[in-house]
Amino acid sequence: MALLDITDLRVEIAGPGAARLALVDGLSLTLERGQSLGLVGESGCGKSMTALAAMGLLPPGLRARGRLTLDGEDLVTASEPRLCGLRGRRLAMIFQEPMTALNPVRTIGSQVAEGPRRHLGLTRRQARAHARAVLDRVGLDPGRFPPGLYPHQLSGGQRQRVVIAIAVACGPELLIADEPTTALDVATQALILDLINDLVAERTMALLMISHDLGVIAETAPRLAVMYAGRVVESGPTARVLAAPRHPYTRGLMGAIPRGRGAPGAPLAAIPGVVPAPDRRPSGCAFADRCPRADAACATTPALRPDTSDQAVACHHPHERPDPTGSVAP
Ligand SMILES: Nc1ncnc2c1ncn2[C@@H]1O[C@H](COP(=O)(O)OP(=O)(O)OP(=O)(O)O)[C@@H](O)[C@H]1O
Ligand code: SF4
Ligand SMILES: [Mg+2]
């Protein structure tokens, strides 16, 4: 059984009458124990909504429908007390903006100790010692960064280390990282990604790494799912998908990376247009109005179909694999 199993997930806003707007619109993915999966897509595709649905933290007015299970337990129908018991202990999340993820009026030590006190049954003193050890592990040596510091006394990268310490303090099986490095400078980004990779490996956690940056995904996740307008449009082993993307959207994302293919100084091939708002998606394939391959067949929604090389694509006219055996140079 997969650790995280999401099938046909919809995140909806209830509208007037029976009208419902789907921010996430039939998303399916699975994540095995100890595995890392990257979820990539442009801004507004629904990546954060997917993560928040898994955490049971959707904003008021939004609701999840479909199948979303953690180790077989249904998270969509779980009660709030049950979700409180799971969050932090079995699944945890690192948020994009460390300042808003931390409580500004509580010390970093007390924020890290809170989960272990609640979930691991530690005394106040034991939880404090545990928090010091976890802060030390994430690179905040208590000699230089005493647990009595407040978030505003730390840099952005140091705060993100505190957020990571809170997330891993109770040894969750699933870690969801939603753009954990986007708010940081490039050098700090690399250090934080290394830290997450090391923690995931040493604790055999499963990782759902969410990013708009294919480079971040390539560094952290051996498998990836590409999301567009609320759905997965391509998935498979990261190296294979990046070497031979089959969906026109994945190709477009790769063409838009500054360090992507092409001669130095060559202009980036931006994808024309923007991700449609949930109430403005074309019927049929939602990528149709930006896609160079669109034709009449694209008026129906393509299903996500696996090919023989463990790559799945939702497109009526996918790009061919470069060689008929499907082998891709490492
Ligand atoms: N509270 C909300 N109520 C209604 N719509 C929302 C709400 N929050 C987000 N949305 C919409 O849901 C869609 C998906 O948003 P989401 O935050 O999941 O995107 P994302 O892929 O995480 O983007 P980003 O890369 O910018 O973080 C967007 O169209 C967004 O405008
Ligand atoms: S289904 Fe059609 S419009 Fe959609 S990505 Fe494929 S070719 Fe383009
Ligand atoms: Mg987001």
Side-chain angles (χ1 to χ4, degrees), residues 247-248 285 287-288 291 293-294 298 302 315-317:
H247 196 284
C285 177
F287 190 55
C291 179
R293 301 192 144 207
C298 307
C315 175
H316 294 303
H317 309 296

PDB file of all heavy atoms in Angstrom, residues 247-248 285 287-288 291 293-294 298 302 315-317, ligand 2:
ATOM      1  N   HIS A 247       5.027  15.720 -22.843  1.00  0.00           N
ATOM      2  CA  HIS A 247       3.901  16.653 -22.866  1.00  0.00           C
ATOM      3  C   HIS A 247       4.379  18.032 -23.334  1.00  0.00           C
ATOM      4  O   HIS A 247       5.438  18.504 -22.885  1.00  0.00           O
ATOM      5  CB  HIS A 247       3.299  16.758 -21.464  1.00  0.00           C
ATOM      6  CG  HIS A 247       1.936  17.381 -21.467  1.00  0.00           C
ATOM      7  ND1 HIS A 247       1.740  18.731 -21.625  1.00  0.00           N
ATOM      8  CD2 HIS A 247       0.705  16.828 -21.360  1.00  0.00           C
ATOM      9  CE1 HIS A 247       0.435  18.990 -21.596  1.00  0.00           C
ATOM     10  NE2 HIS A 247      -0.214  17.841 -21.438  1.00  0.00           N
ATOM     11  N   PRO A 248       3.650  18.699 -24.207  1.00  0.00           N
ATOM     12  CA  PRO A 248       4.073  20.023 -24.673  1.00  0.00           C
ATOM     13  C   PRO A 248       4.286  21.011 -23.524  1.00  0.00           C
ATOM     14  O   PRO A 248       5.157  21.877 -23.605  1.00  0.00           O
ATOM     15  CB  PRO A 248       2.905  20.474 -25.571  1.00  0.00           C
ATOM     16  CG  PRO A 248       2.281  19.208 -26.042  1.00  0.00           C
ATOM     17  CD  PRO A 248       2.440  18.219 -24.923  1.00  0.00           C
ATOM     18  N   CYS A 285      -8.777  19.848 -23.134  1.00  0.00           N
ATOM     19  CA  CYS A 285      -7.434  20.018 -22.565  1.00  0.00           C
ATOM     20  C   CYS A 285      -7.250  21.471 -22.124  1.00  0.00           C
ATOM     21  O   CYS A 285      -7.365  22.401 -22.932  1.00  0.00           O
ATOM     22  CB  CYS A 285      -6.368  19.642 -23.589  1.00  0.00           C
ATOM     23  SG  CYS A 285      -4.709  19.940 -22.930  1.00  0.00           S
ATOM     24  N   PHE A 287      -4.653  23.043 -21.496  1.00  0.00           N
ATOM     25  CA  PHE A 287      -3.452  23.698 -22.039  1.00  0.00           C
ATOM     26  C   PHE A 287      -3.669  24.150 -23.489  1.00  0.00           C
ATOM     27  O   PHE A 287      -2.791  24.777 -24.088  1.00  0.00           O
ATOM     28  CB  PHE A 287      -2.278  22.694 -21.960  1.00  0.00           C
ATOM     29  CG  PHE A 287      -0.936  23.299 -22.259  1.00  0.00           C
ATOM     30  CD1 PHE A 287      -0.468  24.413 -21.560  1.00  0.00           C
ATOM     31  CD2 PHE A 287      -0.113  22.757 -23.241  1.00  0.00           C
ATOM     32  CE1 PHE A 287       0.779  24.971 -21.833  1.00  0.00           C
ATOM     33  CE2 PHE A 287       1.142  23.305 -23.517  1.00  0.00           C
ATOM     34  CZ  PHE A 287       1.583  24.417 -22.814  1.00  0.00           C
ATOM     35  N   ALA A 288      -4.847  23.858 -24.050  1.00  0.00           N
ATOM     36  CA  ALA A 288      -5.056  24.022 -25.497  1.00  0.00           C
ATOM     37  C   ALA A 288      -4.732  25.423 -26.015  1.00  0.00           C
ATOM     38  O   ALA A 288      -4.107  25.564 -27.067  1.00  0.00           O
ATOM     39  CB  ALA A 288      -6.494  23.642 -25.850  1.00  0.00           C
ATOM     40  N   CYS A 291      -0.929  25.812 -26.488  1.00  0.00           N
ATOM     41  CA  CYS A 291      -0.201  24.647 -26.989  1.00  0.00           C
ATOM     42  C   CYS A 291       0.002  24.724 -28.503  1.00  0.00           C
ATOM     43  O   CYS A 291      -0.964  24.875 -29.251  1.00  0.00           O
ATOM     44  CB  CYS A 291      -0.977  23.370 -26.647  1.00  0.00           C
ATOM     45  SG  CYS A 291      -0.168  21.885 -27.263  1.00  0.00           S
ATOM     46  N   ARG A 293       0.580  22.328 -30.438  1.00  0.00           N
ATOM     47  CA  ARG A 293       0.107  21.106 -31.095  1.00  0.00           C
ATOM     48  C   ARG A 293      -1.419  20.969 -31.066  1.00  0.00           C
ATOM     49  O   ARG A 293      -1.946  19.939 -31.475  1.00  0.00           O
ATOM     50  CB  ARG A 293       0.707  19.885 -30.412  1.00  0.00           C
ATOM     51  CG  ARG A 293       2.215  19.864 -30.428  1.00  0.00           C
ATOM     52  CD  ARG A 293       2.761  18.501 -30.014  1.00  0.00           C
ATOM     53  NE  ARG A 293       3.945  18.226 -30.798  1.00  0.00           N
ATOM     54  CZ  ARG A 293       4.407  17.025 -31.119  1.00  0.00           C
ATOM     55  NH1 ARG A 293       3.766  15.946 -30.711  1.00  0.00           N
ATOM     56  NH2 ARG A 293       5.479  16.885 -31.847  1.00  0.00           N
ATOM     57  N   ALA A 294      -2.101  21.950 -30.506  1.00  0.00           N
ATOM     58  CA  ALA A 294      -3.549  21.785 -30.306  1.00  0.00           C
ATOM     59  C   ALA A 294      -4.278  21.625 -31.640  1.00  0.00           C
ATOM     60  O   ALA A 294      -3.941  22.264 -32.637  1.00  0.00           O
ATOM     61  CB  ALA A 294      -4.092  23.003 -29.555  1.00  0.00           C
ATOM     62  N   CYS A 298      -8.280  18.023 -29.265  1.00  0.00           N
ATOM     63  CA  CYS A 298      -7.974  18.515 -27.920  1.00  0.00           C
ATOM     64  C   CYS A 298      -9.197  19.125 -27.227  1.00  0.00           C
ATOM     65  O   CYS A 298      -9.098  19.600 -26.089  1.00  0.00           O
ATOM     66  CB  CYS A 298      -6.827  19.513 -27.992  1.00  0.00           C
ATOM     67  SG  CYS A 298      -5.401  18.824 -28.866  1.00  0.00           S
ATOM     68  N   PRO A 302      -7.712  14.914 -22.214  1.00  0.00           N
ATOM     69  CA  PRO A 302      -6.909  13.691 -22.322  1.00  0.00           C
ATOM     70  C   PRO A 302      -6.668  13.049 -20.963  1.00  0.00           C
ATOM     71  O   PRO A 302      -6.429  13.750 -19.983  1.00  0.00           O
ATOM     72  CB  PRO A 302      -5.585  14.193 -22.931  1.00  0.00           C
ATOM     73  CG  PRO A 302      -5.516  15.641 -22.576  1.00  0.00           C
ATOM     74  CD  PRO A 302      -6.912  16.141 -22.361  1.00  0.00           C
ATOM     75  N   CYS A 315      -2.033  13.679 -22.952  1.00  0.00           N
ATOM     76  CA  CYS A 315      -1.999  14.519 -24.155  1.00  0.00           C
ATOM     77  C   CYS A 315      -2.462  13.678 -25.340  1.00  0.00           C
ATOM     78  O   CYS A 315      -2.086  12.508 -25.445  1.00  0.00           O
ATOM     79  CB  CYS A 315      -0.576  15.024 -24.391  1.00  0.00           C
ATOM     80  SG  CYS A 315      -0.388  15.960 -25.911  1.00  0.00           S
ATOM     81  N   HIS A 316      -3.236  14.299 -26.228  1.00  0.00           N
ATOM     82  CA  HIS A 316      -3.668  13.568 -27.429  1.00  0.00           C
ATOM     83  C   HIS A 316      -2.548  13.467 -28.464  1.00  0.00           C
ATOM     84  O   HIS A 316      -2.576  12.585 -29.323  1.00  0.00           O
ATOM     85  CB  HIS A 316      -4.868  14.272 -28.069  1.00  0.00           C
ATOM     86  CG  HIS A 316      -6.092  14.222 -27.200  1.00  0.00           C
ATOM     87  ND1 HIS A 316      -6.643  13.042 -26.755  1.00  0.00           N
ATOM     88  CD2 HIS A 316      -6.861  15.223 -26.675  1.00  0.00           C
ATOM     89  CE1 HIS A 316      -7.705  13.313 -25.994  1.00  0.00           C
ATOM     90  NE2 HIS A 316      -7.854  14.627 -25.938  1.00  0.00           N
ATOM     91  N   HIS A 317      -1.584  14.379 -28.396  1.00  0.00           N
ATOM     92  CA  HIS A 317      -0.484  14.370 -29.385  1.00  0.00           C
ATOM     93  C   HIS A 317       0.864  14.527 -28.681  1.00  0.00           C
ATOM     94  O   HIS A 317       1.567  15.523 -28.883  1.00  0.00           O
ATOM     95  CB  HIS A 317      -0.661  15.519 -30.386  1.00  0.00           C
ATOM     96  CG  HIS A 317      -2.023  15.569 -30.993  1.00  0.00           C
ATOM     97  ND1 HIS A 317      -2.518  14.555 -31.797  1.00  0.00           N
ATOM     98  CD2 HIS A 317      -3.004  16.503 -30.908  1.00  0.00           C
ATOM     99  CE1 HIS A 317      -3.748  14.871 -32.172  1.00  0.00           C
ATOM    100  NE2 HIS A 317      -4.065  16.047 -31.644  1.00  0.00           N
TER     101      HIS A 317
HETATM  102  S1  SF4 B   2      -4.020  17.422 -25.635  1.00  0.00           S
HETATM  103 FE1  SF4 B   2      -3.761  18.819 -27.369  1.00  0.00          FE
HETATM  104  S2  SF4 B   2      -3.783  20.881 -26.480  1.00  0.00           S
HETATM  105 FE2  SF4 B   2      -3.449  19.430 -24.814  1.00  0.00          FE
HETATM  106  S3  SF4 B   2      -1.249  19.342 -24.597  1.00  0.00           S
HETATM  107 FE3  SF4 B   2      -1.833  17.672 -25.963  1.00  0.00          FE
HETATM  108  S4  SF4 B   2      -1.674  18.507 -28.043  1.00  0.00           S
HETATM  109 FE4  SF4 B   2      -1.653  20.248 -26.623  1.00  0.00          FE
END
